[in-house]
C-alpha cells in the first residue's frame, strides 16, 4: 500500500505530490532527495529507508518517480506501478520531461486519483482510465509532421533515424481535437537485445536474446488486431520442429490482454490494443542462436620496445552482406597508468580515443557492413609495463545496433485490423536488435 | 495556454487575487483559479486560507472543476476541520447523484478527509454505496471502509460494515472482489485474532475464480491473501498450486512474485516424491529467469528474492547458473547480487565454469566488484572441496598481478581456506610472505598475521615478520593488535627459546601501554597463562580449531522460512523480518511455512497452523562472512576444553600476586565477553575460593563455576571428577562432548556437556553404549530437546542402569559410547571411576566381614600405598563413606589406626579393605581383598581420588 507518490525533477523540484494515506509527512520528499543524491555508486538505489518510511523509485525521462510506504509492501508492485505511471504520463502528455509534467499537472493528479485509492492500485489500463479522465492534455510543442528531429523507435533507445516516417512516438494518444493531424496509425516493434560472451579461445560461451513485441496504438477504435508470427515459431527447449528453419525461443510471456486461442495452431496473437504503448509479448532464448554471433574479434596483444603495448584488433562482422550494423563501439580495457594512445584505423570515419577515467580505449565505427572486416592497431604507452599488465587488457566489450534484424529470426507475417479501419490507417512494423552486453575475452 | 504558468506566480497579495478569481461568476475563470491554487499547494505554499472560497466552487456540474476542488479538500480538510463540515452536505448530495462517477468521487473523497466530525455523516452514504448497482461505486466504497476503519475502527464495527465487506468477496465484479480482499486484509492485520478473512475452501474457491478475471493489480491482492491461507492437506495444496501456476507467465513481475510466494509456501506441504512436486519445481525456474531481463531496478529486487529461494530450494535454479553471470554493463549493485547467487549455486558440476568466470571478474575495473569476486573464489574453495586446489592456484595467479586490493583480498580468503583445509596448502605461504609490505588494510594485515602465527613453526623468519609488525603496534587497528598478540604468543609457545623477548614486548605493549580493554584483558590472560602453567597455555592457545564451513553466510533457517513467507516484499529485499522495520501492530505477525499434512490426517479446523504467533523471539542472524575474523579471534581464547589441569589450592603466592587487582576488573567488566571462555584460565580457580576447586573444563560461564565450587566443597558428597573431553569437536564434525560420571541418590548418572562448535544447527541426538564390564546402559533417552545452535552448549544428565549386556572390557572400567545426531554417528570411549558402582547398602556386618576376610585366599590380597595424604583417620573414614566405602570397624594400635572397610558393587561383588593410617606419616597403606582380584587396582584408584579431592 502506497503512502505517497511524488515526482521530482533531477534538481529536486516538487512536480507532483500526492498523499494517499496521511501517515507520512511531506518532509519525506526532501528526505528522499537528500538520500538519493548522497548515494555512492555501489549502493543499491532501488529501495531506501528512512526511519520507518521506505522509498522505492525509478528514474525515467530525467525525473524521479517515487513511492513511499510504511508497510512491508511489494517492491515489484511499486516498481511496476511507477514504470506504468511514467508510461501513462508519456502516453497522455506525449513525451516525458520536466516540462510536460509541469504543464499537465492537473491531468497527472487526475490520473493518480483513478490509479490509486488509499494506496491500493486500482488500474493502469488506458482503456479503463479514459472513461474517467476529464482533463485535456497539453502538448509541449505543436505537432508537425515535418519535424523529424526526434524520430525513433520508441521501444529502443537508439539514435538511428531513418526507420519510420513519423514522429508518432511523441504525441499524446488522446487528442480530442484532431487538428494535430491525428492519424490512424499503429506501430509494431520487434526489439531484441543480445548478450554474448565469447571466450578467449573464440568459443561462444554464452548467447542470450531477450526480445519483445511492442505496440503503440493511435487508433481511436479498434476491436481486434491479429498479429501473425512465423508459422514455424516454437517455444521451449525440448519442442523442436523441422530442421533448423524454425524460429525458436525458450520462454514466452504475454500481456494479459493478448488472446492466445489461435496461437498454438496458427501462431497468431489476437489483441484489442488500448491506445498507447504496450508490450504484447516478451521472449527469450539462451545458448542457441540460430545464426553466428554478429561480431568476431581476433586480437593480438604484444609488448613493443620500451614500455609500449601493441594491441592489434581484427574485427569481423558476420552479418549477411546486405545488412549493416550501426553505431558500433568497441571498448578495450588497458592497464592502469596508461598514458597515451596512437592508433592506425582503416577508415577516416572511425575514431579511437583513450579514456583515462575508465582505463579503456574506445573505438567507434559508425557503420559496419555485413561480411566485411576492419582492423585497428593501438599503441598504448604504459610506464612500468610488466607481464601482469597484460592481464588487465580485456575483456573487450561491444555495443551496436542492428536495424531491420532479429537474432531469433522472429518475423511478423501480417498485421490485420478488424473491422477494417475506415480511411487512412497506417500500420508500421519495425525490427531492431541491439547489444545488451557483448563481451569478447582476450 | 498551459498549466506551467500556474507555478510562476510569485507576486505579493496573490492569495487576495486568487480569492477574487475563485468567487468569479465565470466557470472558466474559477477553474483556472483552482488550478493555480493546486499548483501552489504542490510546490508547498500554504493556501489553506482560501478554504471557504474553494469549497464554494464545489457545487458545480462540471466534473473537472469538482475533481480539482476535491483534490484541494483532501489536502486541507484536516487543518480546517470546522470548515470541512461545510462540504459535508455536498458530499451527501453527490452520493445520490445519478452519475456513478460523481457518486464514486464523493465517497472516495469523503474517506480521505480524515476529520472525526465528518465520519458520522459518512456512514449512511457509505452504506448505500456499498450496495450500489454500479461496480465502480462499489469498489470505491469497499476501499472507503478501510479508510474509515483507520479513522474510527469502532464505528466500522458498530455499523456492520465489516460484514458488508465480507459479502463483497462474493461480488460478481472481480474489481470489487479484489478491493474487498485488500481492505479486509488490511483491517485483519490490525486485529490479528479476529477471523475477519474467514478463509475456508469455499472462499478460497471464490478467490481463485476471481483471480482469473481481475486486473493484474487485483490479482496481486488476491494472491497475497491466498498466501496467508493454510491448506488442510496436500491435496488441497496441490489443487491451489495448479490454479495459481498460470500466473507465473504474467508479464507483470509483481503478479509473478506473488504467485511464486504462494507456490513456495504451499510446496512445503507437498510430499517430495509426488510427481507434481517435481513439475512445480520445473515451472518455477523460467519466470525467475525472465525477471533477470527486466530493467536493473527490478533485476536487483528479483535477485534479492532469488537469493532466498536458492537457499531454500537450490534445486529450482541449479541448472540456470549461466543467467547469473554478470554483464559488463550491469550496475554494480546487480553485479554483486549475482555474484552472491553464483556462489550459492556453485557445485562440483559447474565449478569449473564458475571459477573461469570469477577469474575474469577479478581483472575488471570496478574495485568493489573485483574484491567481491576474489572473495567469491575463496568461498568456492570452501564450499566445493574438489575445487579447493584450483581456487588456491587461481588466487596465487591473482596475487601475482600485484594489484594492491586484489592481493589483500586474496590473502583474507586464503586464511579462510587454511581454516577449512588445515595443513594442505601451506606451500603458498612463501608467496604470501612476499607481499607482506603491500598490505595496508587491517583485515588483510590481521589475516596475514594469523597465518604467520598459525604456521610459525614452518616459517623460518616468523619472528622477524611479526617483529616488523610490532614496530608500529599502537598505530594498528584493534583487529590487527589482537591478532598480533595472539600470533606472537603462538610463536612463543612453538619456539620458546628465541622469542622470549618478543613475547614480553608484546605483552607489555598490550597490557601496559594500551587503553583498549579487550587488548589489555587478552594480554593479561596470556600473561597469566604463560607464567602459571605453560603446558596449559599451550593446550589453550594451540588447541585444534574447529573447521569453518561454507554455511557461514547462509541465513539462519527459521529466519529464512519466515522470509520465504514474505517473498516479493520489502522484507525479502532487506533480508530482515518485517517486525524489524515496520512500526506498530502491522509488522508483528510472524509468518511460518505450513507443516506437511497428509490428506489422510486432515486437521479439524482450517485454522490449525494458521501462522500467527506474537511471542516468538526474534530469530538470531548468523554472522556474515565479515565476522569470520571476529570468530577467529574468539576461538583463540576459547578453552579448547581439553583437560585443563586442576590447580591445587596451594598455588604459589606468586601467582596470587600476579592476579592482583586485575581480577576484579576481569570479572566485573568483561564477564559477558570473557565469562564463557575464562573457565580455561587457571588464575580464575584461585579467585573462586580457598576450597579445593575443580575447574569445569567446559566454559559454562561464571555461574557454573561457582555452583561447582560449592558442590565440591562439601565433604560428604559423592566425588565426581571434573568433566573431561571425551569427544573432541575435530573428530565429530563440530560436536564436542565432555562429561563425567556421578552417583546421585543411589542412581548412576553421566553428566554430559554437548557443545556445537560447527556452524550449523544440530538436532536429533541419541546415545548408545557398547556392552561393558558392569552392564552399564542408558536408563532413558538422551534429553536434548531443542536443536543445538552453533556455539551453544547444552548440559544433560543421563541416568544409567546396570542391567545392560555384560562383557569384560580392557581395562575393566572402559566404556564405549556411540552418539548420533543429524549429521552423523560418532564413537568414543571413556573410563568411569569404579566408585560409581559402590552401592549404598555396602556396609557388611562385622562378623561376616571377619569371616569373609578369612575366606578369601591371601593370593587375592593386593597392597597399595597412598601417598601424601594428610587426613586423620576419622576424616578419611567420613570422606570415604560419602562414596559408599563403609568403615566396618576401626582399631588403633599405638600410633596406627586401622580401618576395616567394605564395599559392594552393583553386580553384587564384595570388596574388603584395610586402610592403615599412621599418625604423622602422610603415606597410607591399603590392602584390598576381593574374590574378583582384577577389581582391586580400580578400587585403589578410587581411594586415591576420593581421599585427595
Amino acid at each position: 500500500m502506497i503512502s505517497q507518490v511524488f515526482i521530482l525533477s533531477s534538481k529536486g523540484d516538487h512536480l507532483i505530490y500526492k498523499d494517499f494515506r496521511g501517515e507520512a509527512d511531506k518532509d519525506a520528499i526532501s528526505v528522499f532527495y537528500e538520500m538519493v543524491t548522497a548515494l555512492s555508486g555501489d549502493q543499491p538505489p532501488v529501495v531506501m529507508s528512512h526511519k520507518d518510511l521506505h522509498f522505492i523509485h525509478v528514474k525515467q525521462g530525467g525525473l524521479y518517480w517515487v513511492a513511499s510506504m510504511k508497510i512491508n509492501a511489494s517492491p515489484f508492485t511499486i516498481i511496476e506501478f511507477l514504470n506504468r505511471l511514467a508510461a501513462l504520463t508519456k502516453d497522455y502528455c506525449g513525451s516525458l520531461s520536466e516540462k510536460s509534467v509541469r504543464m499537465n499537472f492537473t491531468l497527472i493528479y487526475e490520473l493518480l486519483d483513478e490509479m490509486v485509492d488509499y494506496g491500493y492500485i486500482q488500474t493502469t489500463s488506458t482503456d479503463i482510465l479514459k472513461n474517467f479522465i476529464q482533463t485535456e492534455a497539453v502538448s509541449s510543442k505543436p505537432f508537425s509532421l515535418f519535424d523529424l528531429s526526434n524520430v525513433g523507435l520508441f521501444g529502443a533507445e537508439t539514435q538511428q533515424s531513418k526507420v519510420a516516417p513519423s514522429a508518432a512516438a511523441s504525441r499524446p494518444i488522446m487528442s480530442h481535437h484532431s487538428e494535430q493531424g491525428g492519424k490512424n496509425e499503429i506501430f509494431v516493434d520487434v526489439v531484441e537485445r543480445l548478450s554474448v560472451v565469447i571466450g578467449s579461445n573464440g568459443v561462444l560461451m554464452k548467447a542470450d536474446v531477450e526480445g519483445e513485441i511492442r505496440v503503440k496504438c493511435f487508433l481511436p477504435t479498434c476491436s481486434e488486431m491479429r498479429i501473425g508470427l512465423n508459422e514455424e515459431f516454437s517455444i521451449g527447449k525440448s519442442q523442436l520442429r523441422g530442421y533448423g528453419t524454425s524460429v525458436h525461443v525458450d520462454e514466452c510471456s504475454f500481456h494479459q490482454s493478448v488472446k492466445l486461442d489461435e496461437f498454438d495452431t496458427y501462431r497468431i496473437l489476437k489483441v484489442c490494443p488500448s491506445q498507447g504503448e504496450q508490450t504484447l509479448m516478451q521472449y527469450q532464448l539462451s545458448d542457441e542462436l540460430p545464426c553466428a554471433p554478429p561480431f568476431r574479434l581476433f586480437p593480438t596483444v604484444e609488448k613493443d620496445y620500451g614500455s609500449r603495448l601493441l594491441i592489434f584488433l581484427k574485427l569481423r562482422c558476420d552479418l549477411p552482406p546486405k545488412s549493416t550494423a550501426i553505431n558500433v563501439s568497441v571498448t578495450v580495457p588497458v592497464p592502469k597508468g596508461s598514458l597515451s594512445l596512437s592508433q592506425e584505423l582503416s577508415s577516416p570515419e572511425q575514431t579511437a580515443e583513450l579514456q583515462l577515467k575508465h582505463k579503456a580505449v574506445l573505438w567507434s565505427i559508425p557503420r559496419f557492413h555485413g561480411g566485411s572486416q576492419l582492423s585497428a592497431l593501438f599503441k598504448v604507452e604504459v610506464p612500468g609495463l610488466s607481464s601482469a599488465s597484460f592481464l588487465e587488457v580485456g575483456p573487450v566489450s561491444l555495443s551496436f545496433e542492428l536495424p531491420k534484424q532479429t537474432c531469433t529470426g522472429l518475423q511478423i507475417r501480417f498485421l490485420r485490423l478488424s473491422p477494417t479501419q475506415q480511411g487512412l490507417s497506417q500500420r508500421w512494423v519495425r525490427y531492431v536488435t541491439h547489444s545488451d552486453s557483448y563481451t569478447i575475452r582476450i | 495556454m498551459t498549466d506551467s504558468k500556474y507555478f510562476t506566480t510569485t507576486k505579493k497579495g496573490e492569495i487576495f487575487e486568487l480569492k477574487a478569481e475563485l468567487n468569479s461568476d465565470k466557470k472558466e475563470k474559477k477553474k483556472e483559479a483552482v488550478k493555480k491554487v493546486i499548483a501552489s499547494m504542490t510546490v508547498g505554499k500554504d493556501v489553506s486560507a482560501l478554504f471557504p472560497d474553494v469549497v464554494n466552487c464545489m457545487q458545480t456540474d462540471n466534473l473537472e472543476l469538482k475533481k480539482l476542488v476535491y483534490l484541494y479538500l483532501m489536502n486541507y480538510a484536516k487543518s480546517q476541520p470546522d470548515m470541512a463540515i461545510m462540504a459535508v452536505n455536498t458530499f451527501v448530495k453527490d452520493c445520490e447523484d445519478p452519475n456513478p462517477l460523481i457518486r464514486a468521487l464523493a465517497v472516495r473523497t469523503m474517506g480521505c478527509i480524515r476529520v472525526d466530525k465528518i465520519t458520522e455523516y459518512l456512514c449512511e452514504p457509505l452504506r448505500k454505496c456499498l450496495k450500489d448497482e454500479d461496480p465502480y461505486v462499489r469498489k470505491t466504497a469497499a476501499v472507503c471502509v478501510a479508510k474509515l476503519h483507520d479513522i474510527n475502527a469502532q464505528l466500522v464495527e458498530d455499523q456492520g460494515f465489516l460484514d458488508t465487506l465480507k459479502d463483497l468477496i462474493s461480488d460478481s465484479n472481480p474489481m470489487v472482489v479484489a478491493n474487498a480482499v485488500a481492505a479486509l486484509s488490511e483491517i485483519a492485520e490490525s486485529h490479528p485474532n479476529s477471523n475477519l478473512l474467514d478463509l475456508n475452501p469455499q472462499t478460497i474457491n471464490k478467490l481463485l475464480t476471481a483471480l482469473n478475471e481481475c486486473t493484474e493489480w487485483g490479482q496481486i491482492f488476491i494472491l497475497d491473501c491466498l498466501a496467508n491461507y493454510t491448506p488442510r492437506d496436500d491435496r488441497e495444496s496441490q489443487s491451489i498450486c495448479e490454479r495459481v501456476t498460470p500466473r507465473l507467465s504474467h508479464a507483470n513481475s509483481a503478479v509473478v512474485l506473488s504467485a511464486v510466494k504462494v507456490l513456495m509456501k504451499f510446496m512445503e506441504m507437498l510430499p517430495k516424491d509426488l510427481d507434481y512436486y517435481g513439475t512445480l519445481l520445473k515451472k518455477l525456474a523460467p519466470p525467475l529467469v525472465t525477471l533477470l531481463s527486466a530493467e536493473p531496478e527490478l533485476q536487483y529486487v528479483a535477485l534479492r528474492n532469488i537469493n532466498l529461494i536458492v537457499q531454500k530450494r537450490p534445486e529450482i535454479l541449479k541448472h540456470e547458473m549461466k543467467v547469473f553471470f554478470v554483464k559488463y554493463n550491469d550496475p554494480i549493485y546487480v553485479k554483486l547480487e549475482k555474484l552472491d547467487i553464483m556462489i550459492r549455486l556453485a557445485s562440483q558440476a559447474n565449478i569449473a565454469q564458475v571459477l573461469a568466470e570469477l577469474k575474469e571478474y577479478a581483472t575488471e575495473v570496478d574495485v568493489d566488484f573485483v574484491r567481491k569476486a576474489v572473495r567469491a573464489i575463496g568461498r568456492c574453495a570452501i564450499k566445493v572441496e574438489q575445487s579447493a586446489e584450483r581456487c588456491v592456484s587461481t588466487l596465487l595467479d591473482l596475487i601475482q598481478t600485484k594489484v594492491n586490493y586484489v592481493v589483500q583480498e586474496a590473502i583474507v580468503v586464503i586464511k579462510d581456506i587454511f581454516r577449512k583445509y588445515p595443513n594442505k596448502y601451506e606451500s603458498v605461504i612463501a608467496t604470501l610472505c612476499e607481499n607482506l609490505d603491500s598490505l595496508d588494510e587491517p583485515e588483510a594485515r590481521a589475516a596475514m598475521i594469523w597465518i604467520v602465527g598459525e604456521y610459525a613453526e614452518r616459517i623460518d623468519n616468523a619472528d622477524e615478520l611479526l617483529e616488523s609488525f610490532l614496530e608500529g603496534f599502537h598505530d594498528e587497528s584493534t583487529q590487527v593488535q589482537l591478532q598480533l598478540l595472539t600470533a606472537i604468543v603462538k610463536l612463543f609457545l612453538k619456539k620458546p627459546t628465541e622469542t622470549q623477548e618478543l613475547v614480553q614486548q608484546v605483552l607489555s605493549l598490550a597490557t601496559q601501554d594500551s587503553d583498549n580493554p579487550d587488548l589489555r584483558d587478552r594480554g593479561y590472560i596470556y600473561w597469566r597463562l604463560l607464567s602459571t602453567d605453560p603446558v596449559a597455555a599451550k593446550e589453550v592457545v594451540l588447541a585444534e580449531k574447529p573447521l569453518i564451513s561454507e554455511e557461514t553466510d547462509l541465513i539462519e533457517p527459521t529466519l529464512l522460512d519466515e522470509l520465504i513467507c514474505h517473498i516479493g516484499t520489502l522484507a525479502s529485499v532487506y533480508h530482515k523480518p518485517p517486525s524489524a522495520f515496520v512500526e506498530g501492530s502491522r509488522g508483528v505477525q510472524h509468518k511460518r511455512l505450513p507443516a506437511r499434512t497428509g490428506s489422510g490426517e486432515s486437521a479439524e479446523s482450517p485454522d490449525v497452523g494458521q501462522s500467527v504467533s506474537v511471542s516468538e523471539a526474534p530469530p538470531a542472524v548468523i554472522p556474515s562472512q565479515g565476522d569470520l575474523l571476529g570468530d577467529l579471534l574468539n576461538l583463540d581464547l576459547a578453552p579448547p576444553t581439553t583437560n585443563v589441569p586442576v590447580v591445587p589450592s596451594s598455588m604459589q603466592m606468586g601467582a596470587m600476586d600476579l592476579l592482583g587487582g586485575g581480577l576484579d576488573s576481569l570479572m566485573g567488566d568483561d564477564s559477558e565477553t570473557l565469562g564463557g571462555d575464562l573457565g580455561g584460565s587457571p588464575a580464575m580457580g584461585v579467585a573462586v575460593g580457598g576450597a579445593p576447586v575443580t575447574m569445569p573444563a567446559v566454559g559454562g560461564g561464571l555461574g557454573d563455576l561457582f555452583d561447582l565450587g560449592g558442590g565440591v566443597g562439601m565433604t560428604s558428597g559423592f566425588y565426581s571428577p571434573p568433566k573431561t573431553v571425551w569427544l573432541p569437536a575435530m573428530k565429530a564434525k563440530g560436536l564436542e562432548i565432555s562429561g563425567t560420571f556421578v552417583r546421585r541418590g543411589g542412581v548412576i548418572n553421566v553428566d554430559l556437556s554437548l557443545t556445537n562448535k560447527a556452524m550449523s544447527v544440530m538436532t536429533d541426538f541419541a546415545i548408545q553404549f557398547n556392552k561393558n564390564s558392569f552392564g552399564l546402559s542408558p536408563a532413558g533417552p538422551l534429553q536434548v530437546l531443542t536443536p543445538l545452535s552453533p556455539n551453544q552448549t547444552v548440559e544433560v544428565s543421563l541416568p544409567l542402569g546396570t542391567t545392560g549386556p555384560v562383557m569384560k572390557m580392557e581395562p575393566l572400567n572402559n566404556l564405549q559410547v556411540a552418539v548420533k545426531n543429524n549429521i552423523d554417528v560418532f564413537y568414543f570411549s571413556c573410563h568411569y571411576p569404579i566408585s560409581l558402582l559402590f552401592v549404598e547398602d555396602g556396609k557388611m556386618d562385622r562378623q561376616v566381614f571377619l569371616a569373609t576376610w578369612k575366606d578369601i585366599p591371601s593370593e587375592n590380597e593386593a597392597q597399595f600405598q597412598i601417598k601424601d595424604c594428610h587426613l586423620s583417620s576419622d576424616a578419611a573414614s567420613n570422606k570415604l563413606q560419602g562414596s559408599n566405602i563403609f568403615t566396618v570397624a576401626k582399631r588403633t594400635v599405638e600410633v596406627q589406626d586401622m580401618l576395616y572397610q567394605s564395599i559392594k558393587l552393583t553386580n553384587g561383588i564384595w570388596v574388603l579393605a584395610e586402610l592403615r593410617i599412621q599418625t604423622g606419616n602422610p603415606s597410607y597403606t591399603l590392602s584390598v581383598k576381593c574374590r574378583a582380584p582384577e577389581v582391586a587396582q580400580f578400587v585403589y584408584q578410587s581411594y586415591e581420588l576420593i581421599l585427595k579431592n
Side-chain angles (χ1 to χ4, degrees), chain A residues 7-27:
Chain A
I7 303 174
L8 300 184
S9 76
S10 54
K11 296 191 297 292
D13 301 335
H14 306 182
L15 302 181
I16 297 287
Y17 167 78
K18 176 96 188 147
D19 185 351
F20 288 105
R21 295 172 65 89
E23 50 189 17
D25 283 341
K26 205 173 173 180
D27 303 343

Side-chain angles (χ1 to χ4, degrees), chain B residues 9-21 36 40 45-47 50:
Chain B
T9 43
T10 48
K11 280 177 284 177
K12 273 189 185 173
E14 57 170 316
I15 299 272
F16 207 72
E17 261 174 47
L18 282 172
K19 212 176 183 96
E21 285 177 41
K36 279 184 202 164
S40 311
K45 280 182 204 154
D46 183 10
V47 283
L50 295 167

Side-chain angles (χ1 to χ4, degrees), chain A residues 253-441:
Chain A
S253 62
F254 300 95
H255 190 274
Q256 66 172 0
S257 66
V258 178
K259 291 194 212 71
L260 296 171
D261 47 332
E262 286 185 66
F263 185 72
D264 281 342
T265 358
Y266 304 110
R267 297 304 183 202
I268 292 172
L269 304 173
K270 288 203 294 193
V271 65
C272 303
S274 340
Q275 284 178 309
E277 205 173 309
Q278 282 164 308
T279 300
L280 292 189
M281 171 173 150
Q282 287 170 297
Y283 56 91
Q284 49 192 309
L285 170 64
S286 37
D287 290 337
E288 287 175 71
L289 283 191
C291 53
F295 295 99
R296 286 269 173 191
L297 183 74
F298 304 93
T300 326
V301 182
E302 285 171 3
K303 190 176 170 176
D304 201 6
Y305 60 88
S307 57
R308 197 142 71 157
L309 192 66
L310 285 185
I311 304 174
F312 182 65
L313 301 178
K314 263 197 291 185
L315 186 64
R316 194 177 77 206
C317 178
D318 286 339
L319 291 173
K322 281 183 188 166
S323 309
T324 306
I326 58 168
N327 298 330
V328 182
S329 70
V330 183
T331 309
V332 190
V334 292
K336 64 166 183 294
S338 298
L339 275 183
S340 62
L341 168 79
S342 65
Q343 73 261 32
E344 291 168 23
L345 303 171
S346 51
S347 84
E349 58 172 13
Q350 299 170 33
T351 57
E353 60 170 323
L354 176 65
Q355 296 183 321
L356 289 174
K357 196 178 146 212
H358 300 107
K359 291 197 291 178
V361 171
L362 185 70
W363 175 22
S364 310
I365 308 160
R367 300 185 77 77
F368 200 162
H369 293 284
S372 62
Q373 181 168 306
L374 297 175
S375 59
L377 177 65
F378 301 113
K379 296 175 188 166
V380 189
E381 200 67 41
V382 189
L385 188 69
S386 69
S387 57
S389 306
F390 285 90
L391 281 172
E392 294 182 64
V393 179
V396 174
S397 51
L398 273 76
S399 73
F400 51 82
E401 280 164 40
L402 310 176
K404 292 181 261 178
Q405 295 262 334
T406 56
C407 281
T408 51
L410 182 85
Q411 299 280 327
I412 291 183
R413 273 186 299 147
F414 58 79
L415 194 65
R416 283 187 201 127
L417 302 172
S418 61
T420 325
Q421 295 285 314
Q422 298 298 309
L424 288 169
S425 76
Q426 288 174 348
R427 290 162 289 170
W428 303 98
V429 177
R430 309 181 285 189
Y431 302 95
V432 69
T433 295
H434 56 123
S435 58
D436 185 9
S437 165
Y438 198 99
T439 309
I440 302 170
R441 290 176 181 163

Side-chain angles (χ1 to χ4, degrees), chain A residues 21 52 54 71-73 80 83-84 103 106 109-110 114 117 120 122 124 193 205 210 284 436, chain B residues 3 42 67 136 139 147 179 186 216-217 253 290 293 295 322 327 329 568 570-571 574 583 586:
Chain A
R21 295 172 65 89
D52 58 341
H54 307 273
I71 56 139
N72 184 25
E80 289 273 3
N83 282 333
R84 219 63 73 82
M103 283 194 301
T106 44
Y109 275 127
E110 203 182 349
E114 295 298 340
D117 190 6
Y120 306 136
Q122 300 294 305
T124 50
R193 287 178 294 163
M205 294 171 70
E210 290 154 7
Q284 49 192 309
D436 185 9
Chain B
D3 284 2
T42 302
K67 278 189 165 184
Y136 180 69
K139 72 125 192 163
K147 294 176 188 170
N179 274 359
E186 186 179 349
E216 47 198 325
W217 311 107
S253 65
T290 307
S293 53
E295 56 267 48
K322 272 191 175 178
K327 297 176 184 169
N329 49 355
L570 287 173
Y574 294 137
E583 252 186 13
R586 286 191 230 143

Side-chain angles (χ1 to χ4, degrees), chain B residues 854-897:
Chain B
K854 283 181 183 160
D855 199 18
I856 298 174
S858 56
E859 60 266 32
N860 278 15
E861 184 173 341
Q863 230 179 48
F864 306 93
Q865 292 292 319
I866 301 171
K867 292 190 173 123
D868 288 316
C869 208
H870 300 278
L871 296 167
S872 71
S873 59
D874 283 340
S877 172
N878 265 343
K879 210 165 183 186
L880 290 168
Q881 184 150 359
S883 293
N884 294 343
I885 301 176
F886 299 97
T887 306
V888 178
K890 178 181 166 188
R891 209 153 59 110
T892 309
V893 181
E894 293 173 11
V895 288
Q896 183 168 267
D897 288 335

Side-chain angles (χ1 to χ4, degrees), chain B residues 594-610:
Chain B
R596 187 159 296 147
T597 328
S599 40
E601 34 178 321
S602 75
E604 288 298 331
S605 143
D607 285 329
V608 167
Q610 187 83 29

Side-chain angles (χ1 to χ4, degrees), chain B residues 623-641:
Chain B
S624 64
Q625 239 209 337
D627 293 334
L628 271 182
L629 203 76
D631 288 351
L632 198 77
L633 297 172
N634 291 331
L635 274 174
D636 285 337
L637 253 185
T641 55

